[in-house]
């Protein structure tokens, strides 16, 4: 148990961060021409990574804070009808390409960080909401009937039965949302919100593979890191570790 | 006491009512078994008693109070509920499952622990082995037992048990039933027990309520159900061999012939015994000692073989075709068949001879049913 | 317990509202005070550029070198959103395309490229020689039109379509009528020509202007506008599928004639591309319009006026001061 935890919480993340550092060092040392070198400096890579991290963290946290309670709410019998409507609306919203969402909100909200956060927030709502809803609906009807029949209050049923049972599915939704978010956040650069997309998009527009690869590798590592840490959190909270 | 008064329940998406104008009363300390085919409204009836479902019309009283005026949480906390689907909480250990209601009632932790161990012991799941297991690690029958233990955790005066022994093999089922009856003997809880199985109903119930399409067809004691089914539906439900079933129900003491004319004291001389045997319809005479305990039996053959003029006590042979007064007629029949005898001697405590039951008696009983 | 449930509902709704409103409020983060203050003071010379321009050696680095100044900071974004960023005062200076309709609509101004840094892209009607030989009067019809198409006019026309939602044809008609470029209409009798265009607003408008003018002069015109990118339009012209379309001198020079070095003087570019294209491909470049659809450096009109900035050199002086 102990060594597992050590590896899960420290060793593996440290390895991933080590990889990221190595990628950074390698590409800063070998930028592949002066044009790419303009972006492949330690300061610039660090800034882009930090911006990316903040974009993902803030939008995901806000999305969790909104989607989980909303998911719980629409799974209540008295809201179930509204729930289906809400789910469908968000389902349809999800089919709008992320770039289109960026463009759409840009015209309403203006450019930059906040718009990017909002677009990412919108984009991560559905996986979390849907999984929360599905997770709670997935709880065996018998367990809920039994809990109710034995005199548990609705609040206790939610807290002791429904949420713990829905938890892995909710967590899976959050993981999906965050990993998607890391990818989608590379589009934020189009509206001047920075992030690793700045490396990638510049690389594409001037044809410098080093920029594309550096940006893609760093965001991939970030996605794996987030996924892993959320997996650890999940395991710790379910007590399976 | 639970009392239903003209209770009707119609589910919105159903054609007819699930429960139709049902009135019945379950006395304190009584086991009422609901039987009937699938979909006849047994579960629905139960759910209305603990307010999981609300009747469309009619009134339900628990302990004299109209439950529509009682807080449903409070009501349910005092009614143990074994759900048909078992409904264990898969993420909790067995101990936590059993502790559900005591926790809701905020019992102190060590009292809960103690109670959980006691209950697990009672349903035959040694706490040392099973306490920390998850429901997924149990067999279906074990899960059902956990369900029963969970329902009884806070020692509620009323239990609703929806097919609690549905998923166990016949042998375990019989064991659980006997265990249940033993406990009920002591606890005297008011129990509503649902089953598909008429034999289980006959065995467990003080009263049996036969339901069909939401209606109460017959509500009476098991014996009455067997001896005088209200209509064809009930007799079909009870089955062709209801007479044999009835033998399960009737206690030996209730039909025995006191057999005074058949007994002799151990100190009487043989010639006297001979007269008794000749008058006896079973061809033997029972020999008892001074305090009435059965010593054995004497047949004419025994007398013929006897030398001299001994007393009855000296030549009587021990017999084994005996049953206790508490035994059922079914037991008596088994003994007769086992020993190839046409009668059994019924003994009360201290081997005191209480009388005999003959095959003829049993035939007569069965015949009266067939009529 | 019931209360807790409603609390959860309330928190959830609150967050939704926070999400919408909170993010919405943050539209303009920089220089918020700019508009209310009477005196325009730009402390941070932040420049909005696209990804390519920001790093290309012949892009921003060369521009700064040529004019001898340096922006305080560069914000990288898609070229389509620089206009909005400038309008919303997230940046002080932005790059864009000189004839984009939003320049007029957002009250932005182009700074004059007084050191001729950017390559020139003046549009001119390019016609197959065969057609020119057959109908030499086409030159007389299109010349006065080209003459009228200066940068402000083109910005306004693009703005009518892109910002106000007019049809290219309506905008073209309005332009021709306003400038009295349509003489007495003539019955169709002259013969048939096919007019093409690439597929973006400016090209569609130019195409419609041409069509209307030729129809008015008695040509039977086939509308083949909206042909995608340069490659498509150009090969359609070379194959004779269309008879004419408006091409930009810079594009002709760099893309069609495949030269490596851009030309930054309008006349020079026109003369060179005209000669070579006629010689090699039998295509006639009619006189070019004064507007120049090239990269531009823009500022907000109010700022430029207040600071007296008209050209990039003025901007450099201002930043350096
Ligand atoms: N929640 C519900 N919604 C609609 N109809 C229901 C609901 N629950 C039960 N019913 C219907 O009511 C009728 C009685 O159901 P009930 O569950 O009481 O039957 P039962 O006697 O317990 O059957 P079984 O022996 O199969 O458990 C059935 O026709 C069933 O389909
Ligand atoms: Mg049922």
């Amino acid at each position: 148990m102990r060594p597992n935890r050590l590896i899960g919480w420290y060793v593996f993340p440290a390895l991933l961060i080590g990889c990221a550092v190595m990628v950074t060092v390698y590409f800063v040392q070998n930028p592949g021409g002066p044009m790419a070198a303009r972006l492949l400096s330690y300061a610039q890579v660090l800034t882009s990574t930090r911006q990316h991290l903040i974009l993902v963290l803030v939008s995901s946290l806000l999305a969790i804070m909104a989607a989980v309670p909303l998911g719980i709410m629409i799974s209540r019998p008295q809201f179930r009808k509204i729930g289906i409507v809400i789910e469908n609306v968000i389902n349809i919203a999800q089919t709008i390409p992320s770039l289109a969402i960026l463009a759409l909100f840009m015209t309403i909200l203006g450019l930059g960080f906040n718009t990017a956060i909002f677009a990412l927030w919108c984009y991560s709502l559905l996986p979390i909401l849907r999984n929360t809803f599905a997770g709670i609906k997935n709880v065996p009807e018998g367990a809920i009937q039994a809990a109710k029949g034995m005199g548990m209050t609705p609040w206790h049923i939610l807290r002791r039965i429904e949420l713990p049972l829905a938890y892995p599915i909710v967590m899976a939704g959050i993981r999906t949302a965050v990993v998607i978010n890391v990818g989608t956040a590379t589009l934020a650069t189009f509206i001047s919100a920075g992030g690793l997309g700045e490396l990638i998009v510049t690389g594409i527009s001037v044809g410098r593979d080093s920029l594309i690869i550096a940006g893609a590798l760093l965001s991939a590592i970030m996605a794996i890191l987030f996924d892993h840490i959320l997996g650890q959190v999940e395991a710790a909270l379910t007590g399976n570790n | 006491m639970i009392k239903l008064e003209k209770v009707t329940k119609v589910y919105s998406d159903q054609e007819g009512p699930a429960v139709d104008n049902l009135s019945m009363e379950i006395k304190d300390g009584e086991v009422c078994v609901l039987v009937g085919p699938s979909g006849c409204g047994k579960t629905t009836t139960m759910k209305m008693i603990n307010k999981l479902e609300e009747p469309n019309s009619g009134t339900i009283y628990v302990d004299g109070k109209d439950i529509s005026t009682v807080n449903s949480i409070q009501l349910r906390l005092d009614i143990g509920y074994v759900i048909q689907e078992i409904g264990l909480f898969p993420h909790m250990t067995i101990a936590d499952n059993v502790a559900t209601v005591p926790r809701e009632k905020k019992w102190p932790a060590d009292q809960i622990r103690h109670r959980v161990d006691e209950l697990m012991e009672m349903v035959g799941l040694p706490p040392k082995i099973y306490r920390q297991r998850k429901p997924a690690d149990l067999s279906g029958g074990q899960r059902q037992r956990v369900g029963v233990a969970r329902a009884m955790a806070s020692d509620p005066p009323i239990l609703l048990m929806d097919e609690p022994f549905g998923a166990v093999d016949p042998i375990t089922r019989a064991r659980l039933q006997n265990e249940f009856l033993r406990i009920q003997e002591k606890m005297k809880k008011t129990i509503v027990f649902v089953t598909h199985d008429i034999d289980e109903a006959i065995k467990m119930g003080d009263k049996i309520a036969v339901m069909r399409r939401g209606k109460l067809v017959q509500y009476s004691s098991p014996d009455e159900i067997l001896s005088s089914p209200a209509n064809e539906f009930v007799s079909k439900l009870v089955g062709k061999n209801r007479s044999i079933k009835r033998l399960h129900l009737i206690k030996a003491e209730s039909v025995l012939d006191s057999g005074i004319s058949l007994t002799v004291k151990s100190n009487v001389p043989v010639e006297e015994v001979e007269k008794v045997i000749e008058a006896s319809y079973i061809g033997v005479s029972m020999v008892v000692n001074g305090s009435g305990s059965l010593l054995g039996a004497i047949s004419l053959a025994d007398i013929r073989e006897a030398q001299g003029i001994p007393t009855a006590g000296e030549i009587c042979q021990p017999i084994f075709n005996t049953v206790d007064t508490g035994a059922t007629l079914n037991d008596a029949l088994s003994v007769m068949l086992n020993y190839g005898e046409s009668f059994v001697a019924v003994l009360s405590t201290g081997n005191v001879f209480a009388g005999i039951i003959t095959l003829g008696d049993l035939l007569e009983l069965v015949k009266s049913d067939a009529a | 317990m019931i209360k807790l449930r409603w609390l959860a509902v309330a928190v959830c709704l609150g967050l939704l509202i926070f999400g919408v409103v909170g993010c919405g409020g943050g539209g303009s983060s920089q220089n918020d005070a700019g508009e209310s203050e009477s005196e325009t003071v730009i402390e941070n010379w932040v420049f909005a550029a696209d990804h390519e321009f920001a790093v290309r050696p012949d892009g921003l680095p060369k521009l700064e070198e040529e004019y001898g100044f340096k922006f305080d900071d560069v914000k990288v974004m898609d070229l389509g959103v620089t206009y909005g960023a400038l309008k919303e005062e997230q940046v002080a200076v932005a790059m864009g395309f000189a004839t984009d309709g939003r320049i007029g609509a957002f009250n932005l101004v182009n700074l004059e490229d007084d050191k001729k840094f950017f390559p020139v892209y003046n549009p001119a009607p390019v016609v197959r020689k065969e057609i020119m030989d057959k109908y030499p009067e086409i030159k007389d019809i299109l010349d006065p039109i080209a003459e009228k198409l200066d940068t402000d006019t083109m910005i306004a026309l693009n703005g009518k379509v892109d910002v106000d939602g007019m049809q290219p044809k309506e905008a073209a008609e309005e332009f021709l009528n306003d400038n009295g470029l349509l003489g007495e209409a003539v019955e169709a009798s002259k013969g048939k020509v096919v007019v093409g265009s690439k597929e973006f607003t400016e090209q569609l408008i130019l195409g419609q202007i041409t069509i209307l003018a030729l129809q008015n002069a008695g040509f039977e015109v086939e509308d083949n506008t909206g042909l995608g990118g340069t490659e498509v339009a150009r090969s359609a012209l070379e194959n004779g599928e269309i008879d004419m379309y408006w091409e930009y001198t810079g594009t002709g020079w760099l893309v069609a004639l495949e030269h490596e070095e851009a030309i930054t003087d309008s006349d020079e570019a026109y003369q060179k591309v005209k000669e070579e294209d006629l010689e090699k491909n039998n295509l006639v470049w009619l006189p070019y319009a004064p507007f120049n659809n090239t990269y531009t450096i823009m500022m907000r009109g109010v700022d430029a006026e207040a600071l007296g900035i008209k050209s990039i050199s003025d901007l450099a002086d201002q930043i350096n001061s």
Side-chain angles (χ1 to χ4, degrees):
Chain A
M1 299 245 163
R2 276 253 160 244
N4 251 348
R5 189 167 295 184
L6 187 75
I7 290 172
W9 281 108
Y10 301 106
V11 179
F12 191 68
L15 276 178
L16 281 176
I17 291 169
C19 281
V21 171
M22 268 159 53
V23 167
T24 311
V25 171
Y26 175 82
F27 281 104
V28 171
Q29 297 303 323
N30 309 282
M35 205 175 354
R38 272 174 212 288
L39 277 184
L40 285 173
S41 68
Y42 289 119
Q44 180 62 48
V45 172
L46 203 68
T47 309
S48 295
T49 310
R50 199 195 63 229
Q51 286 167 337
H52 207 90
L53 208 65
I54 292 174
L55 281 172
V56 172
L57 277 179
V58 173
S59 60
S60 302
L61 274 177
L62 288 176
I64 292 168
M65 280 155 67
V68 172
L70 191 65
I72 292 170
M73 193 183 97
I74 63 175
S75 67
R76 298 301 90 194
Q78 60 266 50
F79 288 110
R80 205 152 269 188
K81 283 218 178 88
I82 311 172
I84 290 163
V85 175
I86 293 179
E87 216 198 347
N88 278 329
V89 167
I90 300 189
N91 248 330
I92 291 164
Q94 196 81 356
T95 61
I96 305 171
S98 36
L99 205 55
I101 287 205
L102 279 179
L104 188 71
F105 289 132
M106 206 181 63
T107 56
I108 307 166
L109 304 177
L111 295 161
F113 186 73
N114 291 333
T115 307
I117 290 281
F118 185 65
L120 291 174
W121 178 83
C122 284
Y123 231 62
S124 24
L125 274 182
L126 185 67
I128 304 177
L129 181 75
R130 194 171 39 199
N131 278 38
T132 307
F133 187 55
I136 291 180
K137 269 177 70 174
N138 231 16
V139 173
E141 187 56 30
I144 293 177
Q145 285 282 315
K148 234 173 133 180
M150 287 188 300
M152 270 189 157
T153 60
W155 172 248
H156 279 179
I157 294 176
L158 178 66
R159 224 193 55 204
R160 297 215 179 123
I161 314 290
E162 291 177 294
L163 285 185
L165 283 173
Y167 180 72
I169 301 176
V170 177
M171 228 25 216
I174 291 176
R175 280 165 84 165
T176 312
V178 172
V179 170
I180 290 176
N181 242 355
V182 174
T184 314
T186 55
L187 299 178
T189 183
F190 284 120
I191 55 165
S192 96
L196 289 167
E198 191 164 330
L199 301 183
I200 298 171
V201 175
T202 305
I204 292 170
S205 58
V206 299
R208 286 294 178 277
D209 293 345
S210 55
L211 283 169
I212 303 174
I213 296 170
L217 277 180
L218 288 176
S219 52
I221 291 172
M222 192 181 289
I224 298 172
L225 187 67
F226 271 124
D227 190 55
H228 174 77
I229 289 177
L230 286 171
Q232 288 300 116
V233 172
E234 182 184 345
L237 288 182
T238 11
N240 283 349
N241 200 355
Chain B
M1 188 194 64
I2 302 168
K3 190 167 154 200
L4 288 81
E5 245 178 39
K6 296 187 178 153
V7 173
T8 298
K9 171 73 187 177
V10 187
Y11 288 111
S12 51
D13 52 349
Q14 290 279 313
E15 288 239 326
V19 171
D20 193 359
N21 201 21
L22 182 73
S23 299
M24 62 194 278
E25 197 177 316
I26 300 153
K27 296 210 181 65
D28 280 338
E30 219 176 57
V31 180
C32 165
V33 182
L34 302 180
V35 275
S38 193
C40 68
K42 305 183 293 291
T43 300
T44 306
T45 305
M46 250 189 188
K47 286 186 171 173
M48 284 190 291
I49 295 173
N50 67 4
K51 286 179 87 173
L52 281 178
E53 297 287 355
E54 212 159 301
N56 297 73
S57 64
T59 322
I60 299 173
Y61 300 91
V62 170
D63 287 335
K65 266 179 273 178
D66 176 355
I67 59 166
S68 65
T69 64
V70 179
N71 176 290
S72 34
I73 301 288
Q74 283 311 316
L75 178 79
R76 291 173 193 158
L77 281 175
D78 288 328
I79 299 181
Y81 184 39
V82 183
I83 182 174
Q84 186 170 11
E85 297 85 358
I86 309 177
L88 296 186
F89 308 134
H91 60 299
M92 292 184 184
T93 62
I94 300 306
D96 285 339
N97 264 287
V98 175
T100 306
V101 178
R103 289 234 166 96
E104 285 294 307
K105 289 188 160 181
K106 301 203 168 64
W107 287 13
D110 48 343
Q111 189 188 346
I112 294 179
R113 206 172 320 119
H114 185 244
R115 178 69 181 154
V116 167
D117 285 358
E118 183 181 72
L119 281 163
M120 289 184 67
E121 222 41 278
M122 187 188 86
V123 296
L125 297 170
K128 277 216 182 68
I129 303 173
Y130 290 99
R131 207 186 274 133
Q132 291 309 318
R133 289 218 193 162
K134 293 273 175 76
D137 306 330
L138 298 186
S139 72
Q142 288 171 328
R143 270 178 237 166
Q144 265 188 336
R145 283 184 264 164
V146 176
V148 172
R150 183 174 67 174
M152 297 172 73
S154 73
D155 204 11
I158 297 174
L159 276 173
L160 306 178
M161 308 176 87
D162 203 342
E163 302 200 27
F165 307 137
V168 290
D169 65 281
I171 295 173
T172 316
R173 175 188 275 221
R175 229 197 64 223
L176 286 173
Q177 288 169 343
N178 293 337
E179 188 71 2
F180 173 86
L181 287 173
R182 194 178 56 78
I183 297 166
Q184 171 61 4
E185 191 85 16
K186 275 191 285 182
M187 305 273 192
K188 286 283 170 215
K189 292 191 186 302
T190 311
I191 295 172
V192 183
F193 190 108
V194 167
T195 181
H196 268 121
D197 177 359
I198 186 71
D199 293 320
E200 187 169 59
I202 290 165
K203 182 166 178 186
M204 312 293 282
D206 294 318
K207 282 278 192 70
I208 294 180
V210 181
M211 290 179 71
R212 184 192 194 190
R213 298 207 197 106
K215 287 204 172 68
L216 189 60
V217 180
Q218 185 169 9
Y219 185 43
S220 43
S221 71
D223 189 31
E224 236 180 297
I225 295 262
L226 289 172
S227 59
S228 42
N231 58 21
E232 199 166 331
F233 173 74
V234 180
S235 48
K236 272 225 180 86
L237 186 78
V238 168
K240 287 220 173 63
N241 53 353
R242 66 188 163 100
S243 307
I244 291 187
K245 282 176 185 154
R246 218 177 140 219
L247 297 182
H248 282 282
L249 280 180
I250 303 172
K251 294 271 157 64
E253 59 190 346
S254 63
V255 292
L256 57 78
D257 181 327
S258 65
I260 299 292
S261 58
L262 302 173
T263 55
V264 291
K265 288 265 160 58
S266 55
N267 54 2
V268 298
V270 161
E271 311 87 77
E272 240 173 272
V273 178
E274 216 170 333
K275 272 183 239 154
V276 173
I277 295 175
E278 265 154 20
S280 155
Y281 51 91
I282 54 173
V284 292
S285 164
M286 297 292 151
V287 183
V288 297
N289 66 11
S291 52
S293 295
L294 182 71
L295 297 175
I298 300 173
S299 65
L300 283 176
D302 295 331
I303 294 175
R304 248 174 268 128
E305 279 165 31
Q307 286 146 20
I309 314 165
T311 58
E314 281 164 351
I315 60 161
C316 78
Q317 303 294 316
I319 60 166
F320 302 100
N321 46 334
T322 61
V323 293
D324 291 338
T325 44
T328 64
L329 292 187
N330 190 58
D331 299 332
L333 182 62
S334 301
V335 170
M336 288 184 223
L337 296 176
N338 278 344
Y339 292 98
E341 298 283 353
S342 60
F343 70 95
V344 288
V346 183
L347 306 177
S348 55
T349 36
N351 269 353
V352 173
F353 178 72
I356 62 161
I357 298 171
T358 65
L359 209 48
D361 294 340
L362 297 183
L363 280 175
E364 208 133 299
L365 252 168
V366 170
K367 232 184 268 166
S368 76
D369 274 356
Chain C
M1 292 305 128
I2 300 276
K3 267 184 200 146
L4 272 168
R5 191 162 70 213
W6 287 109
L7 190 72
V9 171
V11 166
C12 166
L13 289 179
L15 278 166
L16 263 177
I17 292 163
F18 166 78
V20 176
V21 179
C23 288
S28 50
S29 57
Q30 211 200 354
N31 295 346
D32 251 345
E35 213 138 358
S36 55
E37 276 176 30
S38 53
E39 192 80 348
T40 307
V41 185
I42 295 178
E43 284 180 355
N44 261 323
W45 287 95
V46 182
F47 179 58
D50 76 343
H51 297 82
E52 186 171 350
F53 190 74
V55 296
R56 272 180 79 108
D58 57 351
L60 179 61
K62 182 98 177 293
L63 176 81
E64 288 180 330
E65 189 190 309
E66 197 93 336
Y67 281 93
F69 72 103
K70 202 150 178 44
F71 287 115
D72 294 328
D73 195 6
V74 179
K75 275 198 171 184
V76 179
M77 61 191 76
D78 192 63
L79 199 51
V81 303
T82 54
Y83 310 91
L86 186 58
K87 175 192 170 208
E88 287 170 13
E89 311 192 355
Q90 299 200 348
V91 294
V93 186
M95 70 172 296
F97 285 112
T99 55
D100 194 290
R102 282 170 287 187
I103 294 174
F106 294 174
N107 291 321
L108 311 178
V109 291
N110 289 322
L111 301 185
E112 190 197 336
D113 179 20
D114 52 334
K115 292 197 175 168
K116 298 201 185 302
F117 171 78
F118 291 113
V120 288
Y121 290 86
N122 297 99
V126 186
V127 191
R128 294 197 297 125
K129 182 151 186 298
E130 206 181 309
I131 297 293
M132 274 318 287
D133 290 346
K134 202 167 165 189
Y135 309 112
E137 63 269 36
I138 287 179
K139 181 173 187 306
D140 303 324
I141 300 166
L142 295 182
D143 268 6
I145 291 174
E147 225 166 84
K148 288 276 189 239
L149 286 167
D150 59 19
T151 301
D152 288 340
T153 308
M154 200 62 234
I155 290 174
L157 282 173
N158 282 332
K160 277 178 188 161
V161 176
D162 283 341
V163 183
D164 306 337
M166 241 187 218
Q167 287 299 315
K169 189 169 179 179
E170 294 167 353
E173 216 163 349
E174 219 175 275
F175 161 77
L176 290 169
N177 286 331
D178 288 355
N179 288 285
L181 290 167
L182 295 179
E184 199 73 2
V186 178
E187 276 295 306
S189 60
K190 275 196 180 139
K192 189 181 151 186
V193 289
V194 185
V195 175
S197 86
K198 301 185 218 179
E199 202 180 12
F200 55 88
T201 305
E202 185 170 295
Q203 280 277 319
L204 294 172
I205 296 171
L206 291 173
Q208 290 304 326
I209 289 174
T210 312
I211 290 168
L212 289 170
L214 291 177
Q215 276 173 342
N216 190 66
F219 283 95
E220 184 195 332
V221 186
E222 185 183 330
D223 182 347
N224 210 346
T225 53
L227 284 175
T230 301
E231 308 282 341
V232 182
R234 176 79 189 191
S235 61
L237 185 68
E238 285 177 5
N239 297 335
E241 286 160 30
I242 58 173
D243 295 325
M244 66 181 78
Y245 80 101
W246 289 71
E247 186 52 281
Y248 304 90
T249 52
T251 312
W253 182 247
L254 294 169
V255 180
L257 299 172
E258 299 180 354
H259 289 278
E260 292 294 329
E261 282 294 308
I263 306 170
T264 58
D265 180 82
S266 294
D267 273 332
E268 187 192 344
Y270 175 70
Q271 289 308 333
K272 281 187 165 166
V273 78
K274 181 181 171 184
E275 273 166 32
E276 199 173 322
D277 224 4
L278 184 61
E279 195 177 303
K280 282 189 180 164
N281 303 313
N282 264 335
L283 296 176
V284 179
W285 285 68
L286 296 179
Y288 66 89
F291 83 80
N292 182 3
N293 184 359
T294 184
Y295 289 126
T296 183
I297 304 296
M298 312 170 288
M299 286 183 69
R300 285 179 291 277
V302 277
D303 291 353
E305 199 168 324
L307 296 167
I309 297 174
K310 289 210 160 56
S311 64
I312 303 178
S313 292
D314 295 343
L315 174 67
D317 290 344
Q318 183 71 41
I319 293 176
N320 290 332
S321 70

